Amino acid sequence: MNRNTTGQSTAGVAPTAHSGTPAPERHKGVTGPKGFKAAGVAAGIKESGALDLALVVNEGPGQAAAGVFTTNQVKAAPVLWSQQVLQERKLHAVVLNSGGANACTGPEGFQDTHATAEKVAEVLDVGAIEVAVCSTGLIGERLPMDNLKAGVKKAAQELAAGDQADLNAATAVMTTDTHPKQCWQDHPDGWSVGGFVKGAGMLSPNMATMLSVITTDAVIDGDALDAALRAVTAKTYDRLDVDGGTSTNDTVLVLASGASGVTPSPDDFADVLTAVAKDLVKQLQGDAEGVTKEVSITVNGALTEAEAVVVAKTVAEDNLVKTALFGSDPNWGRIAMAVGRSQATVDQHKLGITINGVTLFADGHKAADRSEADLSGRDVEIVVDLNLGDGTATVLTTDLSHGYVEENSAYSS
Amino acid sequence: MNRNTTGQSTAGVAPTAHSGTPAPERHKGVTGPKGFKAAGVAAGIKESGALDLALVVNEGPGQAAAGVFTTNQVKAAPVLWSQQVLQERKLHAVVLNSGGANACTGPEGFQDTHATAEKVAEVLDVGAIEVAVCSTGLIGERLPMDNLKAGVKKAAQELAAGDQADLNAATAVMTTDTHPKQCWQDHPDGWSVGGFVKGAGMLSPNMATMLSVITTDAVIDGDALDAALRAVTAKTYDRLDVDGGTSTNDTVLVLASGASGVTPSPDDFADVLTAVAKDLVKQLQGDAEGVTKEVSITVNGALTEAEAVVVAKTVAEDNLVKTALFGSDPNWGRIAMAVGRSQATVDQHKLGITINGVTLFADGHKAADRSEADLSGRDVEIVVDLNLGDGTATVLTTDLSHGYVEENSAYSS
């Protein structure tokens, strides 16, 4: 139930692609499910001439859709637009551009988003209200609308199903990503879920991540799709925290074509959607800016699950923890500091910290010499035991490296 | 009213010392006010053999004292001890060590702190309940008590008033600090306030900073001293945020000898205490780990002062803002993102951002090209206008540089 186009299992397996390492060139994504076409073109929004405009079209027969968006109070124009159109829980198409976030651009920026949706509506002969828009790139600059509109027309002409279309679409949304990130998983009953995601920095999703489009050919109505998406993103996208920077443009969209003719049980649908979301999020972690460590932080024994998330995110965002990880240093004292400064309930006399299977601190006492924990590898597993209740959560993060500083001190130029 | 031993004005003037640059070698500190003696010795707690134990003694006639401590729920043993003894608002002495934080060391660590206070009490012939203890260094390791106790005896023998004693004490508390940080300010009525501070990383004080001891020869009782200290630290130490890392050991103590015989008005005392605290905090900022930019973030027009602090601290802790500053890049879009993700009320259509005097974003629109703001210098002033109310606050921070990553990926070794 779990094959990409080369027949290899994908979901549930940690991807091997690392920062700067090319991902497999063929990988099924948004047109894996029946009823979808996609394209990715170079519209001249990016000065580099790279692919920068993606179009994903749902040819039906159904057009159910749902979306979750950034909780940032500074929301980009395309987020404001897409939130509006999603109220109908129906989408014919999603148009996405890199090369500019169209955030902090005022009413004029919103008009640009509206005009983009109108152009897609025109070339596809649908209503603009059935077109979601996503943008990513530098905040504060207007988009080159002539280029963008011409790009929409070009993308509509290139719409196709298949690996190349998927790859082009997933590539066209990249900013500092080093490779496209896609996933597809099918179910034995004859339906599937596919998708892509982009994101490498400003990455602390809260109700959504950077940009992600997920498709399915399952038969499912808009309300059920919306409920499934919210439940799944809360435990997948929202549990990744690279740098605390919830962006102005975070968006996850899911589109259902119903083209398989199969109506899955809610549990089956949630399972496959979760598998795809987890796989995409793991790929985000693996391609985060400057990443040299892929870190999971599990907090057990919190008073509630929400408090476990608070503790895990405080540790995930702590620069002293993150720099120690970059240095392969099992400096658990910094983890204890971060746990203690969190807003959750903590009792230092009950606290325990385990790194890569070695318990270094237990019940408020040093339990082993830090040298016993080996952090030389890329994967690091931190477990914090609060010993107060049943709340548990795992958050994924990365280290803070020279690469992160280098990339982000030069990005806008 | 504002001279150090070379007769130069100090308080209110930005210090010129930069990271890695030696500070002036003579600079009046904790024994500037009458009635105090100090010492700093090498007790062998640090393997390097550097000064690592400081003793500050209040010879009276008064012994009023007050303290503020970390809000971290993981509190070091000396914090737990000093909070207890300060309930009497009376101190004869403070003993401080670098080379070990004595945090996460369980009841045994608390016994070590108690034994340290007992040793000071024995050599000074006072009660242990009148001795505060401060520790700083690596979390999770026990202190070498034989060395520490011998160091207390040695320090007691070297107690003196004067510049060398002040310098030794301020030096003995250093960890990754590149130079000792002291300040002294006198009042025309014949009383003065002096102090030192240490801290360079894990530096986001909340009701206190790393370690700081302030002395005064003003006549003031413990309750008034406590009220003045809390009011002043809330607007000085608590407004510095280098890396969000509120430490397990943060402590600010103030001791009043009354040796001047002068009882200042509450306003006069608050003014001079504020001037000393601001000067010490500015020195902390200038010597923060990896600092290349000294940044002030002023938020105006928040609904309340508390919301202004929330916005300013969210911007101060944002790694994308901090790396852009390191790159001298006036990337105001990242500031807008951080403002929007804060927990305070924000209306993106009223938001304005000014960097080094150039308004780049106003009323939700780009107002000038980012290239017009010059960030090439060391000092950066960011002003965020929320245009919602009268709340205002300024928080000091630094950039996030390769130096910070380098220092913190190697510190525990």
Side-chain angles (χ1 to χ4, degrees):
Chain A
M1 63 171 275
N2 180 15
R3 289 163 287 113
N4 62 16
T5 47
T6 58
Q8 294 171 315
S9 175
T10 53
V13 177
T16 54
H18 291 179
S19 184
T21 312
E25 287 200 4
R26 291 287 180 279
H27 204 105
K28 201 171 266 196
V30 283
T31 73
K34 291 182 279 288
F36 292 93
K37 286 185 178 169
V41 301
I45 307 166
K46 284 179 177 169
E47 288 183 9
S48 66
L51 299 182
D52 53 16
L53 188 138
L55 186 61
V56 180
V57 176
N58 180 358
E59 300 196 322
Q63 266 92 26
V68 288
F69 299 91
T70 182
T71 53
N72 198 308
Q73 297 174 89
V74 175
K75 293 184 205 299
V79 168
L80 297 173
W81 170 265
S82 298
Q83 280 184 312
Q84 282 296 319
V85 304
L86 255 301
Q87 291 189 356
E88 299 295 320
R89 301 217 169 122
K90 181 179 178 185
L91 285 180
H92 257 100
V94 183
V95 59
L96 312 94
N97 74 274
S98 53
N102 197 8
C104 296
T105 46
E108 298 82 357
F110 189 79
Q111 285 167 13
D112 291 343
T113 291
H114 191 173
T116 303
E118 290 279 10
K119 184 68 187 176
V120 173
E122 175 197 323
V123 298
L124 296 180
D125 194 20
V126 298
I129 197 72
E130 296 162 350
V131 179
V133 181
C134 300
S135 299
T136 183
L138 193 64
I139 293 170
E141 300 291 336
R142 297 278 299 278
L143 292 169
M145 288 304 296
D146 288 345
N147 292 359
L148 201 151
K149 287 181 191 171
V152 167
K153 189 175 173 188
K154 185 176 170 194
Q157 290 163 347
E158 296 189 10
L159 281 170
D163 296 351
Q164 190 62 50
D166 286 353
L167 183 66
N168 289 349
T171 302
V173 292
M174 288 165 48
T175 54
T176 56
D177 308 68
T178 67
H179 53 253
K181 290 176 271 288
Q182 303 187 90
C183 181
W184 176 73
Q185 185 167 350
D186 65 347
H187 188 277
D189 288 351
W191 56 278
S192 67
V193 176
F196 63 71
V197 67
K198 68 80 50 184
M202 205 177 284
L203 199 53
S204 173
N206 195 358
M207 297 313 295
T209 185
M210 294 299 281
L211 303 185
S212 185
V213 175
I214 298 171
T215 56
T216 180
D217 49 15
V219 178
I220 182 168
D221 68 34
D223 287 348
L225 200 57
D226 185 72
L229 180 65
R230 286 176 197 283
V232 169
T233 55
K235 304 241 180 186
T236 53
Y237 292 90
D238 291 359
R239 298 280 166 92
L240 174 69
D241 188 346
V242 166
D243 56 12
T246 303
S247 112
T248 52
N249 291 55
D250 290 348
T251 301
V252 181
L253 300 174
V254 57
L255 288 74
S257 69
S260 70
V262 180
T263 304
S265 75
D267 282 353
D268 278 358
F269 186 72
D271 284 350
V272 179
L273 185 61
T274 297
V276 168
K278 277 195 173 174
D279 187 283
L280 291 174
V281 166
K282 185 73 187 155
Q283 292 186 56
L284 281 174
Q285 179 190 32
D287 194 27
E289 289 172 346
V291 58
T292 79
K293 302 285 186 187
E294 298 186 34
V295 185
S296 81
I297 300 167
T298 297
V299 175
N300 295 323
L303 286 183
T304 64
E305 181 181 357
E307 289 215 345
V309 173
V310 165
V311 172
K313 287 202 171 187
T314 305
V315 176
E317 293 180 11
D318 192 276
N319 282 354
L320 289 162
V321 173
K322 293 170 95 75
T323 47
L325 290 167
F326 173 55
S328 297
D329 172 12
N331 192 333
W332 61 265
R334 293 179 179 183
I335 298 171
M337 177 277 293
V339 168
R341 74 177 177 85
S342 78
Q343 297 300 306
T345 304
V346 173
D347 179 344
Q348 65 174 317
H349 304 298
K350 296 183 176 178
L351 184 60
I353 297 172
T354 300
I355 302 181
N356 281 355
V358 181
T359 297
L360 299 172
F361 185 57
D363 300 325
H365 285 78
K366 177 177 173 178
D369 195 79
R370 70 184 63 217
S371 63
E372 292 183 32
D374 178 12
L375 269 67
S376 59
R378 184 173 173 97
D379 293 311
V380 178
E381 186 186 30
I382 296 170
V383 178
V384 174
D385 288 299
L386 298 180
N387 290 309
L388 296 173
D390 295 328
T392 183
T394 298
V395 165
L396 304 181
T397 191
T398 59
D399 57 334
L400 173 56
S401 68
H402 286 304
Y404 181 92
V405 172
E406 189 63 29
E407 190 154 1
N408 284 300
S409 56
Y411 175 52
S412 84
S413 58
Chain B
M1 64 170 274
N2 182 14
R3 288 163 288 110
N4 63 14
T5 47
T6 59
Q8 295 170 317
S9 174
T10 54
V13 177
T16 54
H18 292 176
S19 183
T21 313
E25 287 199 6
R26 291 289 180 276
H27 203 105
K28 201 171 265 194
V30 283
T31 73
K34 290 182 280 290
F36 291 93
K37 286 185 178 167
V41 301
I45 306 166
K46 284 180 178 168
E47 288 184 10
S48 66
L51 298 183
D52 52 16
L53 188 138
L55 186 60
V56 180
V57 175
N58 180 359
E59 301 195 321
Q63 266 91 27
V68 288
F69 298 91
T70 183
T71 54
N72 198 307
Q73 295 175 93
V74 176
K75 295 184 204 299
V79 168
L80 297 172
W81 169 265
S82 297
Q83 281 185 312
Q84 282 296 319
V85 303
L86 255 300
Q87 290 188 357
E88 299 294 321
R89 299 213 171 126
K90 180 180 178 185
L91 285 181
H92 257 99
V94 183
V95 59
L96 311 95
N97 74 273
S98 53
N102 196 8
C104 296
T105 46
E108 299 82 358
F110 190 80
Q111 286 168 12
D112 290 342
T113 291
H114 191 172
T116 303
E118 290 279 8
K119 185 67 186 176
V120 173
E122 174 197 324
V123 299
L124 296 181
D125 195 19
V126 299
I129 197 73
E130 296 163 348
V131 178
V133 181
C134 302
S135 298
T136 182
L138 193 63
I139 294 170
E141 300 291 337
R142 297 278 299 279
L143 292 169
M145 288 305 295
D146 289 345
N147 292 359
L148 201 151
K149 287 181 190 172
V152 166
K153 189 175 174 189
K154 185 176 171 194
Q157 291 163 345
E158 296 189 11
L159 280 170
D163 296 350
Q164 190 61 50
D166 287 352
L167 183 67
N168 289 349
T171 302
V173 292
M174 288 166 49
T175 54
T176 57
D177 309 68
T178 66
H179 52 253
K181 291 176 270 290
Q182 303 187 89
C183 180
W184 177 73
Q185 185 168 351
D186 64 347
H187 188 277
D189 289 351
W191 56 277
S192 68
V193 175
F196 62 71
V197 67
K198 69 79 49 186
M202 205 178 283
L203 199 52
S204 173
N206 196 358
M207 295 314 295
T209 184
M210 294 299 279
L211 303 185
S212 184
V213 175
I214 298 172
T215 55
T216 181
D217 49 14
V219 178
I220 181 168
D221 68 33
D223 287 348
L225 199 58
D226 185 73
L229 180 65
R230 287 177 195 283
V232 168
T233 55
K235 304 238 180 189
T236 53
Y237 292 89
D238 291 359
R239 298 281 167 92
L240 173 69
D241 188 345
V242 165
D243 56 11
T246 303
S247 113
T248 52
N249 292 55
D250 290 348
T251 301
V252 182
L253 301 174
V254 57
L255 289 74
S257 69
S260 70
V262 180
T263 304
S265 75
D267 282 354
D268 278 358
F269 185 72
D271 285 349
V272 178
L273 185 61
T274 297
V276 168
K278 277 193 173 175
D279 187 284
L280 291 173
V281 166
K282 185 73 187 154
Q283 292 185 57
L284 282 174
Q285 178 190 34
D287 194 27
E289 288 171 347
V291 58
T292 80
K293 303 284 186 188
E294 298 185 34
V295 185
S296 80
I297 300 167
T298 297
V299 175
N300 295 323
L303 287 183
T304 62
E305 181 181 357
E307 289 214 346
V309 172
V310 166
V311 171
K313 287 204 171 184
T314 306
V315 175
E317 292 179 11
D318 191 276
N319 282 355
L320 289 163
V321 172
K322 294 170 96 75
T323 47
L325 290 168
F326 173 55
S328 297
D329 173 12
N331 192 332
W332 60 265
R334 294 180 179 182
I335 298 171
M337 177 277 292
V339 168
R341 74 178 177 83
S342 79
Q343 299 299 308
T345 304
V346 174
D347 179 345
Q348 65 174 317
H349 304 297
K350 295 183 177 179
L351 184 59
I353 296 171
T354 300
I355 304 180
N356 280 356
V358 181
T359 298
L360 298 172
F361 185 57
D363 300 325
H365 285 77
K366 178 177 172 179
D369 195 77
R370 71 184 62 217
S371 63
E372 293 183 31
D374 178 12
L375 268 67
S376 59
R378 183 172 173 99
D379 293 312
V380 178
E381 186 186 31
I382 296 171
V383 178
V384 174
D385 288 299
L386 298 180
N387 290 308
L388 296 173
D390 295 328
T392 184
T394 298
V395 165
L396 304 182
T397 189
T398 59
D399 57 334
L400 174 56
S401 68
H402 286 304
Y404 181 92
V405 173
E406 189 63 28
E407 191 154 1
N408 284 301
S409 57
Y411 174 55
S412 84
S413 57

